[in-house]
Amino acid sequence: QLQLVESGGGLVQPGGSLRLSCTASGSTLDRYAIGWFRQVAGTEREGVARISSSGGSTAYADSVKGRFTISRDNAKNTVYLQMNNLTPEDTAVYYCATDAHRGAWTWPGSYEYWGQGTQVTVSS
């Protein structure tokens, strides 16, 4: 069965950068469009970015557009989220997931397989 593992989170100062990775095991990622979501405790999970299976199409939430870049390297079975110009409002647990195409890319219910999440904290 497909398993996803996120990594790369941590503590960063405002204005700093992090690169998150989502790596698959048990199967390959090349068949799946992948979304990145984030969640603050007590709030709904929020779609951040999404990339098509080939990497040819991307989508971003308005809140991160121009600052975050989603990419993938199917040969490495990995999807990345490059996060620049981070602000405290970006603090959340970040998850990657495979898109089952049940609805809009921003809807968590559209996705089937999820990783365990990685914590990103932006603080001075």
Side-chain angles (χ1 to χ4, degrees):
Q1 278 284 346
L2 180 69
Q3 292 181 277
L4 302 177
V5 177
E6 302 94 338
S7 62
L11 177 64
V12 65
Q13 295 181 38
S17 298
L18 286 173
R19 188 176 76 160
L20 306 183
S21 297
C22 173
T23 300
S25 62
S27 188
T28 58
L29 277 184
D30 57 5
R31 169 256 187 276
Y32 297 103
I34 301 295
W36 282 99
F37 286 74
R38 65 188 182 187
Q39 188 168 29
V40 177
T43 73
E44 295 182 353
R45 194 164 294 187
E46 174 191 20
V48 175
R50 186 259 197 192
I51 189 166
S52 62
S53 59
S54 69
S57 180
T58 60
Y60 298 92
D62 287 343
S63 59
V64 308
K65 198 169 298 180
R67 299 188 298 120
F68 290 12
T69 302
I70 189 170
S71 63
R72 67 192 303 158
D73 187 341
N74 284 340
K76 296 181 178 178
N77 221 21
T78 299
V79 174
Y80 304 98
L81 185 68
Q82 178 67 45
M83 306 186 295
N84 298 326
N85 302 314
L86 286 161
T87 77
E89 288 69 42
D90 297 315
T91 295
V93 178
Y94 283 71
Y95 301 88
C96 63
T98 59
D99 194 349
H101 305 287
R102 300 180 183 126
W105 78 264
T106 53
W107 180 47
S110 185
Y111 295 76
E112 184 173 13
Y113 297 103
W114 293 81
Q116 84 291 343
T118 186
Q119 176 71 48
V120 171
T121 302
V122 185
S123 177
S124 60

